[in-house]
Amino acid sequence: VGPTKHFKSLNDALTCGQARCATVVRVNLEPGLHTMESEAEIMEDSRVVIRPTADAPLGSVVLSSRTGRPLLLVVNRAASVCVQRISFVFSTQPPAATNLKQRCIWVTEGQLLLQNCTVSSDAGI
């Protein structure tokens, strides 16, 4: 995923036809700041791996929200999501600790494993 790759955004990669048919969906993100318009939703009962491209240094891939919505949303009981070496940066003005839509990462069902990730959020996780 990146400006010069097949998919321009994480959402595009996760919602394409190939991803809906795959047993394991692997999404590789180019280094840089990926500013998201809406949350990346894992709604299918699939296994998903989100990670930087192989040559990307640690901390070089950053997901940030443009709209104050969650960056990652897992909502399927059978979903298994593994995120590796990604930085999540969430900031909203003003922060509201009681507004669930202003969470950096939101898991209602399913499994989420964060490996070597950083999470920064002024509204909570």
Side-chain angles (χ1 to χ4, degrees):
V1 174
T4 63
K5 299 297 181 186
H6 186 70
F7 297 107
K8 303 293 183 215
S9 73
L10 179 57
N11 280 338
D12 291 346
L14 291 172
T15 59
C16 75
Q18 297 121 328
R20 293 181 188 272
C21 296
T23 303
V24 177
V25 178
R26 291 181 179 87
V27 179
N28 298 312
L29 299 169
E30 283 188 331
L33 175 63
H34 297 263
T35 304
M36 300 172 58
E37 296 289 334
S38 63
E39 59 265 20
E41 292 181 287
I42 313 297
M43 299 176 67
E44 305 293 325
D45 59 345
S46 58
R47 292 180 290 167
V48 178
V49 177
I50 302 169
R51 62 185 177 202
T53 55
D55 58 340
L58 185 63
S60 65
V61 176
V62 178
L63 294 180
S64 179
S65 176
R66 178 175 291 167
T67 61
R69 300 284 297 170
L71 295 169
L72 184 61
L73 177 61
V74 182
V75 295
N76 186 301
R77 181 174 300 168
S80 177
V81 181
C82 176
V83 182
Q84 303 169 336
R85 300 174 31 228
I86 303 289
S87 294
F88 294 90
V89 178
F90 183 85
S91 180
T92 184
Q93 297 298 325
T98 59
N99 185 346
L100 292 179
K101 293 180 180 175
Q102 292 185 340
R103 298 292 185 242
C104 184
I105 298 170
W106 195 0
V107 180
T108 60
E109 294 185 300
Q111 299 175 348
L112 174 64
L113 173 64
L114 299 174
Q115 296 180 318
N116 295 320
C117 294
T118 60
V119 179
S120 173
S121 173
D122 63 7
I125 294 178

